[in-house]
Short mmCIF file of all heavy atoms in Angstrom, two decimals:
data_model
loop_
_atom_site.label_atom_id
_atom_site.label_comp_id
_atom_site.label_asym_id
_atom_site.label_seq_id
_atom_site.Cartn_x
_atom_site.Cartn_y
_atom_site.Cartn_z
N CYS A 1037 -7.49 -20.08 -1.26
CA CYS A 1037 -8.94 -19.94 -1.42
C CYS A 1037 -9.34 -19.81 -2.89
O CYS A 1037 -10.52 -19.61 -3.21
CB CYS A 1037 -9.44 -18.72 -0.64
SG CYS A 1037 -9.28 -18.88 1.15
N GLY A 1038 -8.36 -19.90 -3.77
CA GLY A 1038 -8.64 -19.86 -5.20
C GLY A 1038 -8.76 -18.45 -5.77
O GLY A 1038 -9.28 -18.26 -6.87
N ILE A 1039 -8.25 -17.46 -5.03
CA ILE A 1039 -8.28 -16.07 -5.48
C ILE A 1039 -6.85 -15.62 -5.76
O ILE A 1039 -5.96 -15.86 -4.93
CB ILE A 1039 -8.96 -15.17 -4.43
CG1 ILE A 1039 -10.42 -15.62 -4.22
CG2 ILE A 1039 -8.90 -13.70 -4.85
CD1 ILE A 1039 -11.13 -14.93 -3.07
N ASP A 1040 -6.63 -14.98 -6.91
CA ASP A 1040 -5.25 -14.68 -7.32
C ASP A 1040 -4.87 -13.21 -7.20
O ASP A 1040 -3.80 -12.80 -7.67
CB ASP A 1040 -5.02 -15.15 -8.77
CG ASP A 1040 -5.88 -14.39 -9.78
OD1 ASP A 1040 -6.65 -13.49 -9.37
OD2 ASP A 1040 -5.80 -14.71 -10.98
N THR A 1041 -5.73 -12.40 -6.55
CA THR A 1041 -5.49 -10.96 -6.50
C THR A 1041 -5.73 -10.41 -5.10
O THR A 1041 -6.72 -10.79 -4.45
CB THR A 1041 -6.40 -10.22 -7.49
OG1 THR A 1041 -6.23 -10.78 -8.79
CG2 THR A 1041 -6.09 -8.74 -7.54
N VAL A 1042 -4.83 -9.54 -4.66
CA VAL A 1042 -4.97 -8.89 -3.36
C VAL A 1042 -4.95 -7.38 -3.53
O VAL A 1042 -4.60 -6.85 -4.58
CB VAL A 1042 -3.85 -9.31 -2.39
CG1 VAL A 1042 -3.89 -10.80 -2.11
CG2 VAL A 1042 -2.48 -8.90 -2.92
N GLU A 1043 -5.36 -6.70 -2.47
CA GLU A 1043 -5.22 -5.25 -2.39
C GLU A 1043 -4.83 -4.92 -0.95
O GLU A 1043 -5.00 -5.74 -0.05
CB GLU A 1043 -6.52 -4.55 -2.78
CG GLU A 1043 -7.73 -4.96 -1.96
CD GLU A 1043 -9.04 -4.37 -2.49
OE1 GLU A 1043 -9.57 -4.87 -3.49
OE2 GLU A 1043 -9.49 -3.39 -1.87
N PHE A 1044 -4.27 -3.72 -0.76
CA PHE A 1044 -3.89 -3.32 0.59
C PHE A 1044 -3.97 -1.80 0.68
O PHE A 1044 -4.32 -1.13 -0.29
CB PHE A 1044 -2.49 -3.84 0.94
CG PHE A 1044 -1.40 -3.46 -0.01
CD1 PHE A 1044 -0.70 -2.27 0.12
CD2 PHE A 1044 -1.06 -4.30 -1.08
CE1 PHE A 1044 0.30 -1.91 -0.76
CE2 PHE A 1044 -0.05 -3.95 -1.97
CZ PHE A 1044 0.63 -2.76 -1.81
N TRP A 1045 -3.67 -1.26 1.85
CA TRP A 1045 -3.79 0.17 2.06
C TRP A 1045 -2.44 0.86 1.80
O TRP A 1045 -2.07 1.05 0.67
CB TRP A 1045 -4.34 0.45 3.47
CG TRP A 1045 -5.71 -0.14 3.67
CD1 TRP A 1045 -6.67 -0.33 2.72
CD2 TRP A 1045 -6.27 -0.62 4.90
NE1 TRP A 1045 -7.79 -0.90 3.27
CE2 TRP A 1045 -7.58 -1.08 4.60
CE3 TRP A 1045 -5.80 -0.70 6.21
CZ2 TRP A 1045 -8.42 -1.61 5.59
CZ3 TRP A 1045 -6.64 -1.23 7.19
CH2 TRP A 1045 -7.93 -1.68 6.88
N LYS A 1046 -1.70 1.19 2.82
CA LYS A 1046 -0.44 1.92 2.64
C LYS A 1046 0.65 1.02 2.04
O LYS A 1046 0.73 -0.16 2.37
CB LYS A 1046 0.06 2.44 3.98
CG LYS A 1046 -0.79 3.54 4.58
CD LYS A 1046 -0.08 4.11 5.81
CE LYS A 1046 -0.84 5.30 6.36
NZ LYS A 1046 -0.03 6.08 7.32
N TRP A 1047 1.52 1.64 1.23
CA TRP A 1047 2.71 0.90 0.78
C TRP A 1047 3.95 1.28 1.59
O TRP A 1047 4.92 0.53 1.63
CB TRP A 1047 2.98 1.14 -0.70
CG TRP A 1047 3.19 2.55 -1.16
CD1 TRP A 1047 2.29 3.35 -1.82
CD2 TRP A 1047 4.37 3.36 -1.01
NE1 TRP A 1047 2.82 4.59 -2.08
CE2 TRP A 1047 4.12 4.63 -1.60
CE3 TRP A 1047 5.63 3.15 -0.44
CZ2 TRP A 1047 5.04 5.67 -1.63
CZ3 TRP A 1047 6.56 4.18 -0.47
CH2 TRP A 1047 6.28 5.41 -1.04
N SER A 1048 3.92 2.42 2.25
CA SER A 1048 5.13 2.93 2.90
C SER A 1048 5.57 2.08 4.10
O SER A 1048 6.73 2.15 4.51
CB SER A 1048 4.93 4.38 3.35
OG SER A 1048 3.88 4.49 4.30
N ASN A 1049 4.65 1.31 4.65
CA ASN A 1049 4.99 0.46 5.80
C ASN A 1049 5.13 -1.01 5.41
O ASN A 1049 5.04 -1.90 6.25
CB ASN A 1049 3.95 0.61 6.92
CG ASN A 1049 2.54 0.23 6.48
OD1 ASN A 1049 2.32 -0.12 5.32
ND2 ASN A 1049 1.59 0.32 7.40
N LYS A 1050 5.35 -1.26 4.11
CA LYS A 1050 5.42 -2.63 3.63
C LYS A 1050 6.68 -2.85 2.78
O LYS A 1050 7.23 -1.90 2.22
CB LYS A 1050 4.17 -2.98 2.82
CG LYS A 1050 2.89 -2.94 3.66
CD LYS A 1050 1.66 -3.20 2.85
CE LYS A 1050 0.43 -3.28 3.74
NZ LYS A 1050 0.09 -1.99 4.39
N ASP A 1051 7.10 -4.10 2.70
CA ASP A 1051 8.26 -4.48 1.89
C ASP A 1051 7.75 -4.81 0.49
O ASP A 1051 7.19 -5.90 0.26
CB ASP A 1051 8.96 -5.68 2.54
CG ASP A 1051 10.23 -6.09 1.83
OD1 ASP A 1051 10.34 -5.87 0.60
OD2 ASP A 1051 11.13 -6.64 2.48
N ILE A 1052 7.91 -3.89 -0.43
CA ILE A 1052 7.36 -4.06 -1.78
C ILE A 1052 8.00 -5.24 -2.51
O ILE A 1052 7.33 -5.98 -3.25
CB ILE A 1052 7.52 -2.76 -2.60
CG1 ILE A 1052 6.83 -1.59 -1.88
CG2 ILE A 1052 6.92 -2.94 -3.99
CD1 ILE A 1052 5.38 -1.81 -1.55
N ASP A 1053 9.31 -5.45 -2.31
CA ASP A 1053 9.98 -6.60 -2.92
C ASP A 1053 9.37 -7.90 -2.45
O ASP A 1053 9.17 -8.85 -3.22
CB ASP A 1053 11.47 -6.58 -2.62
CG ASP A 1053 12.20 -5.47 -3.37
OD1 ASP A 1053 11.76 -5.13 -4.48
OD2 ASP A 1053 13.19 -4.95 -2.84
N LYS A 1054 9.05 -7.96 -1.17
CA LYS A 1054 8.46 -9.17 -0.59
C LYS A 1054 7.06 -9.41 -1.15
O LYS A 1054 6.65 -10.54 -1.40
CB LYS A 1054 8.42 -9.04 0.93
CG LYS A 1054 8.52 -10.36 1.67
CD LYS A 1054 8.79 -10.10 3.14
CE LYS A 1054 8.92 -11.41 3.90
NZ LYS A 1054 9.21 -11.18 5.34
N ILE A 1055 6.32 -8.33 -1.35
CA ILE A 1055 4.99 -8.45 -1.96
C ILE A 1055 5.13 -8.97 -3.38
O ILE A 1055 4.40 -9.88 -3.80
CB ILE A 1055 4.27 -7.08 -1.95
CG1 ILE A 1055 3.90 -6.69 -0.51
CG2 ILE A 1055 3.02 -7.12 -2.83
CD1 ILE A 1055 3.31 -5.30 -0.38
N LYS A 1056 6.07 -8.42 -4.11
CA LYS A 1056 6.29 -8.82 -5.51
C LYS A 1056 6.64 -10.31 -5.61
O LYS A 1056 6.19 -11.00 -6.54
CB LYS A 1056 7.42 -7.97 -6.08
CG LYS A 1056 7.75 -8.24 -7.54
CD LYS A 1056 6.71 -7.68 -8.46
CE LYS A 1056 7.11 -7.82 -9.92
NZ LYS A 1056 6.03 -7.41 -10.84
N GLN A 1057 7.40 -10.81 -4.64
CA GLN A 1057 7.84 -12.21 -4.67
C GLN A 1057 6.71 -13.21 -4.51
O GLN A 1057 6.88 -14.39 -4.81
CB GLN A 1057 8.88 -12.43 -3.57
CG GLN A 1057 10.23 -11.76 -3.86
CD GLN A 1057 11.11 -11.67 -2.63
OE1 GLN A 1057 10.83 -12.31 -1.60
NE2 GLN A 1057 12.18 -10.89 -2.72
N ASN A 1058 5.55 -12.74 -4.06
CA ASN A 1058 4.42 -13.66 -3.88
C ASN A 1058 3.73 -14.05 -5.18
O ASN A 1058 2.87 -14.92 -5.19
CB ASN A 1058 3.40 -13.04 -2.91
CG ASN A 1058 3.82 -13.19 -1.46
OD1 ASN A 1058 3.64 -14.25 -0.86
ND2 ASN A 1058 4.39 -12.14 -0.90
N ASN A 1059 4.09 -13.34 -6.26
CA ASN A 1059 3.54 -13.66 -7.59
C ASN A 1059 2.02 -13.67 -7.62
O ASN A 1059 1.40 -14.54 -8.24
CB ASN A 1059 4.08 -15.02 -8.08
CG ASN A 1059 5.57 -14.98 -8.31
OD1 ASN A 1059 6.10 -14.02 -8.86
ND2 ASN A 1059 6.27 -16.02 -7.88
N MET A 1060 1.43 -12.69 -6.93
CA MET A 1060 -0.02 -12.51 -7.00
C MET A 1060 -0.30 -11.14 -7.62
O MET A 1060 0.52 -10.23 -7.56
CB MET A 1060 -0.65 -12.60 -5.61
CG MET A 1060 -0.59 -13.99 -5.01
SD MET A 1060 -1.61 -14.11 -3.51
CE MET A 1060 -3.27 -14.15 -4.22
N ASN A 1061 -1.47 -11.03 -8.23
CA ASN A 1061 -1.88 -9.74 -8.79
C ASN A 1061 -2.20 -8.77 -7.65
O ASN A 1061 -2.69 -9.18 -6.59
CB ASN A 1061 -3.12 -9.92 -9.65
CG ASN A 1061 -2.88 -10.84 -10.83
OD1 ASN A 1061 -1.81 -10.83 -11.43
ND2 ASN A 1061 -3.87 -11.67 -11.15
N VAL A 1062 -1.94 -7.50 -7.88
CA VAL A 1062 -2.33 -6.44 -6.95
C VAL A 1062 -3.31 -5.53 -7.67
O VAL A 1062 -2.98 -4.96 -8.72
CB VAL A 1062 -1.11 -5.64 -6.46
CG1 VAL A 1062 -1.56 -4.45 -5.61
CG2 VAL A 1062 -0.16 -6.52 -5.67
N SER A 1063 -4.52 -5.41 -7.13
CA SER A 1063 -5.52 -4.56 -7.79
C SER A 1063 -5.33 -3.11 -7.41
O SER A 1063 -5.15 -2.25 -8.28
CB SER A 1063 -6.93 -5.04 -7.44
OG SER A 1063 -7.15 -5.00 -6.04
N ILE A 1064 -5.35 -2.79 -6.13
CA ILE A 1064 -5.25 -1.39 -5.70
C ILE A 1064 -4.46 -1.27 -4.41
O ILE A 1064 -4.30 -2.23 -3.65
CB ILE A 1064 -6.64 -0.76 -5.49
CG1 ILE A 1064 -7.42 -1.50 -4.41
CG2 ILE A 1064 -7.43 -0.68 -6.78
CD1 ILE A 1064 -8.69 -0.82 -3.97
N PHE A 1065 -3.99 -0.05 -4.17
CA PHE A 1065 -3.46 0.33 -2.86
C PHE A 1065 -3.64 1.85 -2.75
O PHE A 1065 -4.00 2.52 -3.72
CB PHE A 1065 -1.99 -0.09 -2.69
CG PHE A 1065 -1.04 0.46 -3.71
CD1 PHE A 1065 -0.51 1.74 -3.58
CD2 PHE A 1065 -0.67 -0.30 -4.82
CE1 PHE A 1065 0.38 2.25 -4.53
CE2 PHE A 1065 0.22 0.21 -5.76
CZ PHE A 1065 0.74 1.49 -5.62
N ASN A 1066 -3.38 2.39 -1.57
CA ASN A 1066 -3.56 3.82 -1.35
C ASN A 1066 -2.36 4.61 -1.84
O ASN A 1066 -1.21 4.19 -1.64
CB ASN A 1066 -3.75 4.12 0.13
CG ASN A 1066 -5.11 3.71 0.65
OD1 ASN A 1066 -5.73 2.80 0.13
ND2 ASN A 1066 -5.58 4.38 1.67
N ILE A 1067 -2.60 5.77 -2.42
CA ILE A 1067 -1.52 6.69 -2.69
C ILE A 1067 -0.87 7.03 -1.36
O ILE A 1067 -1.54 7.19 -0.34
CB ILE A 1067 -2.02 7.95 -3.43
CG1 ILE A 1067 -0.85 8.78 -3.95
CG2 ILE A 1067 -2.97 8.76 -2.58
CD1 ILE A 1067 -1.26 9.89 -4.89
N ASP A 1068 0.47 7.11 -1.32
CA ASP A 1068 1.17 7.17 -0.04
C ASP A 1068 2.50 7.90 -0.23
O ASP A 1068 2.87 8.28 -1.34
CB ASP A 1068 1.39 5.73 0.46
CG ASP A 1068 1.70 5.65 1.95
OD1 ASP A 1068 1.62 6.68 2.65
OD2 ASP A 1068 2.02 4.54 2.41
N SER A 1069 3.21 8.08 0.88
CA SER A 1069 4.50 8.76 0.85
C SER A 1069 5.41 8.18 1.92
O SER A 1069 4.95 7.74 2.98
CB SER A 1069 4.31 10.26 1.09
OG SER A 1069 5.55 10.92 1.26
N ALA A 1070 6.71 8.21 1.65
CA ALA A 1070 7.69 7.79 2.65
C ALA A 1070 7.81 8.82 3.77
O ALA A 1070 8.33 8.51 4.85
CB ALA A 1070 9.05 7.58 2.00
N ASP A 1071 7.35 10.03 3.54
CA ASP A 1071 7.29 11.06 4.57
C ASP A 1071 6.16 10.71 5.53
O ASP A 1071 4.99 10.72 5.15
CB ASP A 1071 7.03 12.41 3.89
CG ASP A 1071 6.93 13.58 4.85
OD1 ASP A 1071 6.37 13.41 5.95
OD2 ASP A 1071 7.39 14.68 4.50
N GLU A 1072 6.49 10.41 6.78
CA GLU A 1072 5.50 9.90 7.73
C GLU A 1072 4.34 10.88 7.94
O GLU A 1072 3.18 10.47 8.03
CB GLU A 1072 6.15 9.57 9.07
CG GLU A 1072 7.04 8.34 9.03
CD GLU A 1072 7.55 7.94 10.39
OE1 GLU A 1072 7.00 8.43 11.41
OE2 GLU A 1072 8.49 7.14 10.46
N LYS A 1073 4.65 12.15 8.03
CA LYS A 1073 3.59 13.16 8.24
C LYS A 1073 2.65 13.21 7.04
O LYS A 1073 1.42 13.21 7.18
CB LYS A 1073 4.22 14.53 8.48
CG LYS A 1073 3.24 15.69 8.57
CD LYS A 1073 2.32 15.56 9.78
CE LYS A 1073 1.58 16.87 10.07
NZ LYS A 1073 0.74 17.35 8.95
N LEU A 1074 3.22 13.23 5.84
CA LEU A 1074 2.40 13.26 4.64
C LEU A 1074 1.62 11.96 4.50
O LEU A 1074 0.45 11.96 4.10
CB LEU A 1074 3.26 13.52 3.41
CG LEU A 1074 2.52 13.58 2.06
CD1 LEU A 1074 1.36 14.58 2.10
CD2 LEU A 1074 3.49 13.92 0.93
N SER A 1075 2.25 10.83 4.82
CA SER A 1075 1.56 9.55 4.76
C SER A 1075 0.32 9.56 5.65
O SER A 1075 -0.76 9.10 5.24
CB SER A 1075 2.51 8.43 5.20
OG SER A 1075 1.84 7.18 5.23
N TYR A 1076 0.46 10.09 6.85
CA TYR A 1076 -0.69 10.17 7.75
C TYR A 1076 -1.75 11.08 7.17
O TYR A 1076 -2.95 10.73 7.16
CB TYR A 1076 -0.26 10.68 9.13
CG TYR A 1076 -1.45 10.90 10.04
CD1 TYR A 1076 -2.05 9.83 10.71
CD2 TYR A 1076 -2.00 12.18 10.20
CE1 TYR A 1076 -3.17 10.02 11.51
CE2 TYR A 1076 -3.11 12.38 10.99
CZ TYR A 1076 -3.69 11.30 11.65
OH TYR A 1076 -4.81 11.50 12.43
N ASP A 1077 -1.35 12.25 6.68
CA ASP A 1077 -2.32 13.18 6.12
C ASP A 1077 -3.06 12.57 4.93
O ASP A 1077 -4.27 12.77 4.77
CB ASP A 1077 -1.62 14.46 5.67
CG ASP A 1077 -1.13 15.31 6.85
OD1 ASP A 1077 -1.48 14.99 8.01
OD2 ASP A 1077 -0.38 16.28 6.61
N LEU A 1078 -2.35 11.82 4.11
CA LEU A 1078 -2.99 11.15 2.97
C LEU A 1078 -4.02 10.14 3.43
O LEU A 1078 -5.05 9.94 2.77
CB LEU A 1078 -1.93 10.46 2.11
CG LEU A 1078 -1.03 11.38 1.28
CD1 LEU A 1078 0.25 10.67 0.88
CD2 LEU A 1078 -1.77 11.90 0.05
N SER A 1079 -3.78 9.48 4.55
CA SER A 1079 -4.73 8.50 5.07
C SER A 1079 -5.99 9.16 5.60
O SER A 1079 -7.01 8.50 5.78
CB SER A 1079 -4.09 7.65 6.17
OG SER A 1079 -3.91 8.41 7.36
N ARG A 1080 -5.92 10.47 5.83
CA ARG A 1080 -7.11 11.24 6.22
C ARG A 1080 -7.71 11.95 5.02
O ARG A 1080 -8.90 12.30 5.02
CB ARG A 1080 -6.78 12.27 7.31
CG ARG A 1080 -5.94 11.78 8.48
CD ARG A 1080 -6.28 10.41 8.98
NE ARG A 1080 -7.62 10.34 9.57
CZ ARG A 1080 -8.20 9.21 9.96
NH1 ARG A 1080 -7.58 8.06 9.80
NH2 ARG A 1080 -9.40 9.22 10.49
N GLY A 1081 -6.87 12.22 3.99
CA GLY A 1081 -7.32 12.89 2.78
C GLY A 1081 -6.83 14.33 2.71
O GLY A 1081 -7.01 15.09 3.66
N ILE A 1082 -6.20 14.71 1.60
CA ILE A 1082 -5.66 16.07 1.47
C ILE A 1082 -6.27 16.84 0.30
O ILE A 1082 -6.00 18.03 0.15
CB ILE A 1082 -4.12 16.06 1.34
CG1 ILE A 1082 -3.68 15.41 0.03
CG2 ILE A 1082 -3.48 15.38 2.53
CD1 ILE A 1082 -2.18 15.56 -0.24
N LEU A 1083 -7.08 16.20 -0.53
CA LEU A 1083 -7.62 16.89 -1.70
C LEU A 1083 -8.50 18.07 -1.30
O LEU A 1083 -8.47 19.12 -1.94
CB LEU A 1083 -8.43 15.93 -2.57
CG LEU A 1083 -7.73 14.69 -3.13
CD1 LEU A 1083 -8.64 13.99 -4.12
CD2 LEU A 1083 -6.40 15.02 -3.76
#
C-alpha cells in the first residue's frame, strides 16, 4: 500500500526476529513483559 512503517501492541506474543526480517520501520508498541500475569496487567495499566 506504499506505507513503510507498522506498529503493534504486545511484543511478548510475537517473534521479534521475524518482525525484524521484514525490513519495515516500527513506530510504536506496548511496554510488555514475558511474565504472563504482568503482561496482562500492563495491558490494563499499572501506573
Side-chain angles (χ1 to χ4, degrees):
C1037 294
I1039 298 172
D1040 64 1
T1041 306
V1042 297
E1043 57 187 78
F1044 55 87
W1045 299 330
K1046 291 188 175 194
W1047 58 257
S1048 62
N1049 59 358
K1050 296 177 175 67
D1051 185 331
I1052 302 305
D1053 289 329
K1054 209 167 181 179
I1055 291 174
K1056 182 74 174 174
Q1057 289 165 12
N1058 280 280
N1059 295 318
M1060 292 190 75
N1061 299 322
V1062 174
S1063 59
I1064 60 170
F1065 58 83
N1066 287 28
I1067 191 170
D1068 198 7
S1069 171
D1071 179 322
E1072 289 186 15
K1073 174 65 166 59
L1074 180 54
S1075 176
Y1076 175 80
D1077 290 351
L1078 288 160
S1079 72
R1080 314 320 294 172
I1082 67 172
L1083 302 188

